[in-house]
Amino acid sequence: MCGIVGFNGERDARKIVLDGLQKLEYRGYDSAGISCVNNNNEVKTYKDKGRVDHLRELVDESYMTNIAIGHTRWATHGEPSKRNSHPHTSQSGRFTIVHNGVIENYKKLKYEFLADYIFNSDTDTEVIANLLDYFAKQMDFKDALLKTLTLLEGSFALLILDKHNLNDIYFAKNKTPMIIGYSSTGVVLGSDIIPLVGNCDKYTALKDGTFGVASKHRIEFFDYNGKEMNYTFKDVDVSADSIDKGGYDHYMMKEIHESPSVIRRILSTYFDDHEIMISKSLIDKIRKCDKINLVACGTSMHAGYMGKYFFEKFCHIPSEVFCASELVYSKPLIRDHPIFIFLSQSGETADSIACMKKFGIKYPTVSITNVSTSTMANLADWNLDICAGPEIAVASTKAYIAQVCVCAILAKAVLGEKSFIKHHLDRVANEIDVVINENDENIKAVAAQIVKAETCFFIGRGLDYWAALEASLKLKEISYIHTEAFPSGELKHGSISLISKAVPVIGLVTQEGSSNIVRSNLVECQARGSKNFVISTRDIAEPTDDIIVPNVKHYFNPLVSITACQLLAYYVAIMKGNDVDKPRNLAKSVTVE
């Protein structure tokens, strides 16, 4: 859940690393730091609590540097502070490292090997630096690094500077993502591909259990036995335009606006005319399974609930949604022929990866991700790309919609009959455009009425309840208002006790069969003092409804209504003066359990 960047080459490493860290702030932004090699072959480190903009003010630019490593942090061990910020240096000053991940046995290692060492931070990372130092006093560097890596339990992506050889950057990877790319001007290392864009022509994603060394014009890879490994590099296929704001004030707003184009990209990827282009072996495997298990966290789990609906409605296959962080420690009843489908935006979600490793040993697995080079995509038997492109804002918008669309297409592919799903999804893309362009003022008006609320509730039934869960999460994430979502029929079974005067209750009403009863539930809340708002579709709207969105095929109506909810969350956060793209305490890619 941190971001790391390194550069070794013929260009200004300081600028490449700082710019790369800025692009990775969605991975963590409570502190940042950089270590540069100066003209006198010394390592200069600058770090502090706060954002990369603050770090830039601290960095001395009076010397040229061709080698640098940097880090932007989401705190796991120790509070956000200068002392806990990366990079960390060993007691002797020989080794400087940055680290993304969590070392689970760092206390044990500290007591067993480092009793005589003085520590200057609360982090597990400083233990790695000193452990490397400890073994380097007894053996050559490569053996010391190997010894250290084999003792570490947990997850890590490491970049290391060694004062005895400041011509190279050493790296290591296990469970936590690391991408390496190169061009004629040098080598870039990063937590994902974004800092490589514009700086590299080719890239590769490291495998677990890999370490190596990056010089200016050469990269060497080794396994934990010290055996050299071969890697295949791919063209960098992400454009610089796709990772800037493109004229929008925030990435979140840009990404909401991109949802229609993402749907159209999905259609062009998965359809040849009206024929669905998905692996026949995957389709056959799902047809033969007796249960579909959808595993995810957060927003992806909410997309999984929509997927459950599609698989049961279209394919008549029993389906269940599991919270990955619970599933990994439980022993669910597994049928004879299950299949596990894992949903993740980044493909690096630690809880989901743990589940994939646990169940993938015996059962077939599918990943539905936004990163085809990710750990989950590589572990799965089949991977389905959601085609959303880089999503920078921490609060997911277009990736959620993309996951739902891919689940629906997969379910229709399993059904096998000719369908109009391509037409329906094309219409969804068009109508989301309408919501964005024509409902802006109505959404802002509702936002202005709930901006001062301390608590807010969303209600709905069936598909609208699944959408309400995601709507509640979006508002919670970026506005910091306490929100919850309820099936509206459950209100009378306890939750209505939470309703009090002026508490906003937002009803999602997009399904004709349940619209009247949801409206009745809203009246029950109003009788207890709530301030009600209704988001409905045109075909079942009433004149007093607050936000009326276009209707599409009924089971895709939640994709249109959720766009209105995403915009509502955005405007509430803006009115509160919050950092929309980087909400407090959150990180985009949750790479620790």
Side-chain angles (χ1 to χ4, degrees):
M1 295 175 69
C2 304
I4 58 176
V5 184
F7 179 77
N8 188 358
E10 306 293 345
R11 298 164 60 195
D12 182 359
R14 178 177 39 238
K15 181 180 188 309
I16 290 172
V17 170
L18 287 171
D19 290 349
L21 292 178
Q22 196 109 48
K23 295 171 184 175
L24 290 181
E25 274 196 304
Y26 68 91
R27 300 182 70 95
Y29 37 87
D30 58 40
S31 59
I34 185 173
S35 290
C36 309
V37 179
N38 69 11
N39 300 331
N40 296 322
N41 223 29
E42 299 170 327
V43 177
K44 294 292 186 181
T45 296
Y46 313 89
K47 61 181 185 177
D48 202 0
K49 177 181 177 181
R51 301 286 177 84
V52 175
D53 280 339
H54 173 55
L55 176 63
R56 288 182 187 274
E57 297 172 356
L58 305 178
V59 176
D60 181 1
E61 298 186 22
S62 63
Y63 59 89
M64 181 64 181
T65 180
N66 298 117
I67 298 180
I69 60 174
H71 186 275
T72 182
R73 182 173 187 251
W74 188 87
T76 56
H77 294 76
E79 65 180 4
S81 64
K82 181 176 181 178
R83 66 189 296 268
N84 288 327
S85 303
H86 299 219
H88 289 286
T89 303
S90 62
Q91 180 177 289
S92 69
R94 177 175 173 181
F95 297 105
T96 301
I97 73 172
V98 293
H99 167 220
N100 179 18
V102 171
I103 305 304
E104 296 167 2
N105 62 334
Y106 80 102
K107 289 183 179 179
K108 178 183 176 183
L109 295 171
K110 191 174 181 179
Y111 295 138
E112 185 172 350
F113 297 101
L114 305 173
D116 295 331
Y117 278 71
I118 296 172
F119 287 82
N120 297 307
S121 75
D122 305 313
T123 68
D124 53 344
T125 304
E126 195 179 1
V127 172
I128 305 172
N130 281 322
L131 198 64
L132 187 56
D133 184 86
Y134 175 82
F135 289 119
K137 292 175 181 177
Q138 306 169 34
M139 56 192 78
D140 66 31
F141 172 75
K142 185 177 178 181
D143 290 337
L145 179 56
L146 266 173
K147 179 69 174 176
T148 300
L149 296 177
T150 56
L151 287 172
L152 300 179
E153 296 176 6
S155 58
F156 54 83
L158 299 172
L159 299 183
I160 304 165
L161 296 178
D162 177 7
K163 273 193 174 182
H164 291 187
N165 175 21
L166 289 176
N167 295 314
D168 299 323
I169 297 175
Y170 299 93
F171 57 85
K173 188 263 189 198
N174 188 55
K175 296 184 181 180
T176 298
M178 183 182 290
I179 308 290
I180 297 183
Y182 69 86
S183 69
S184 60
T185 59
V187 175
V188 183
L189 308 94
S191 297
D192 66 29
I193 199 170
I194 290 176
L196 279 65
V197 175
N199 296 312
C200 293
D201 303 318
K202 302 282 187 177
Y203 79 99
T204 191
L206 287 189
K207 300 174 184 176
D208 285 348
T210 299
F211 77 96
V213 56
S215 61
K216 290 181 180 180
H217 301 295
R218 179 177 169 79
I219 310 170
E220 295 178 277
F221 305 91
F222 303 93
D223 64 22
Y224 281 5
N225 294 316
K227 182 180 178 181
E228 191 162 2
M229 303 171 66
N230 293 319
Y231 268 83
T232 301
F233 284 78
K234 304 177 182 179
D235 291 333
V236 175
D237 55 1
V238 179
S239 69
D241 290 343
S242 67
I243 57 174
D244 66 29
K245 292 180 184 175
Y248 293 91
D249 291 335
H250 301 91
Y251 281 110
M252 183 177 177
M253 181 59 88
K254 179 196 177 197
E255 289 156 8
I256 292 172
H257 278 72
E258 288 175 342
S259 293
S261 63
V262 169
I263 296 174
R264 295 177 185 120
R265 193 179 309 131
I266 289 170
L267 297 181
S268 67
T269 299
Y270 287 100
F271 284 88
D272 182 2
D273 194 14
H274 283 276
E275 183 179 353
I276 299 174
M277 307 301 290
I278 289 179
S279 166
K280 185 177 184 301
S281 63
L282 171 56
I283 293 170
D284 290 343
K285 183 63 71 173
I286 296 177
R287 286 174 179 169
K288 293 175 183 176
C289 81
D290 51 17
K291 186 179 179 184
I292 297 172
N293 302 287
L294 297 116
V295 184
C297 304
T299 286
S300 294
M301 185 169 66
H302 298 158
Y305 285 121
M306 295 291 289
K308 167 185 165 68
Y309 172 88
F310 297 135
F311 289 119
E312 293 188 337
K313 177 178 176 60
F314 300 155
C315 312
H316 307 292
I317 300 174
S319 303
E320 187 171 357
V321 179
F322 290 97
C323 172
S325 59
E326 290 296 309
L327 179 63
V328 71
Y329 295 108
S330 65
K331 295 181 179 179
L333 182 63
I334 305 295
R335 293 201 177 186
D336 294 335
H337 303 289
I339 192 165
F340 283 79
I341 299 179
F342 295 84
L343 296 97
S344 170
Q345 299 149 46
S346 67
E348 302 293 350
T349 308
D351 294 307
S352 295
I353 290 172
C355 291
M356 184 176 276
K357 290 181 176 179
K358 178 179 178 179
F359 294 100
I361 296 172
K362 293 180 63 176
Y363 306 112
T365 57
V366 184
S367 62
I368 297 178
T369 72
N370 199 27
V371 185
S372 60
T373 59
S374 64
T375 301
M376 289 175 65
N378 289 324
L379 286 173
D381 297 308
W382 296 272
N383 178 63
L384 299 178
D385 193 338
I386 66 171
C387 309
E391 188 177 63
I392 308 300
V394 168
S396 177
T397 51
K398 63 176 180 175
Y400 167 80
I401 288 173
Q403 288 173 324
V404 173
C405 291
V406 171
C407 283
I409 292 169
L410 177 58
K412 279 293 187 180
V414 173
L415 177 63
E417 66 183 37
K418 291 288 185 181
S419 74
F420 293 99
I421 191 169
K422 182 180 180 183
H423 165 75
H424 293 321
L425 285 173
D426 188 54
R427 186 176 169 195
V428 169
N430 294 336
E431 301 300 7
I432 288 177
D433 269 329
V434 172
V435 173
I436 292 169
N437 295 318
E438 297 183 11
N439 285 76
D440 209 49
E441 293 306 315
N442 287 343
I443 295 170
K444 285 180 180 177
V446 174
Q449 295 182 72
I450 67 175
V451 67
K452 293 184 179 180
E454 295 182 0
T455 299
C456 181
F457 299 117
F458 289 81
I459 64 172
R461 291 196 179 217
L463 288 168
D464 283 335
Y465 169 57
W466 306 137
L469 287 171
E470 177 59 13
S472 173
L473 180 60
K474 284 286 104 39
L475 186 61
K476 182 184 304 180
E477 284 178 314
I478 63 174
S479 75
Y480 316 143
I481 294 173
H482 168 249
T483 68
E484 290 191 56
F486 303 117
S488 65
E490 279 296 294
L491 283 170
K492 293 187 289 293
H493 298 279
S495 300
I496 203 165
S497 66
L498 299 172
I499 303 300
S500 59
K501 186 176 181 180
V503 168
V505 177
I506 300 171
L508 300 185
V509 183
T510 75
Q511 305 298 306
E512 185 174 7
S514 60
S515 62
N516 288 337
I517 194 66
V518 174
R519 291 182 187 278
S520 175
N521 298 141
L522 283 166
V523 170
E524 292 165 352
C525 293
Q526 190 173 28
R528 286 148 182 86
S530 70
K531 173 64 175 173
N532 291 350
F533 301 93
V534 177
I535 300 175
S536 63
T537 48
R538 287 174 185 162
D539 56 343
I540 54 175
E542 295 185 358
T544 56
D545 290 350
D546 301 274
I547 300 171
I548 300 172
V549 300
N551 52 283
V552 292
K553 187 66 176 177
H554 72 92
Y555 46 72
F556 286 138
N557 277 336
L559 291 181
V560 182
S561 65
I562 199 63
T563 302
C565 294
Q566 292 168 352
L567 288 166
L568 178 63
Y570 174 85
Y571 285 123
V572 172
I574 290 295
M575 292 174 185
K576 291 173 73 72
N578 295 348
D579 188 337
V580 173
D581 289 334
K582 304 180 184 71
R584 69 188 183 199
N585 301 334
L586 297 180
K588 181 72 170 178
S589 184
V590 185
T591 57
V592 296
E593 291 185 53

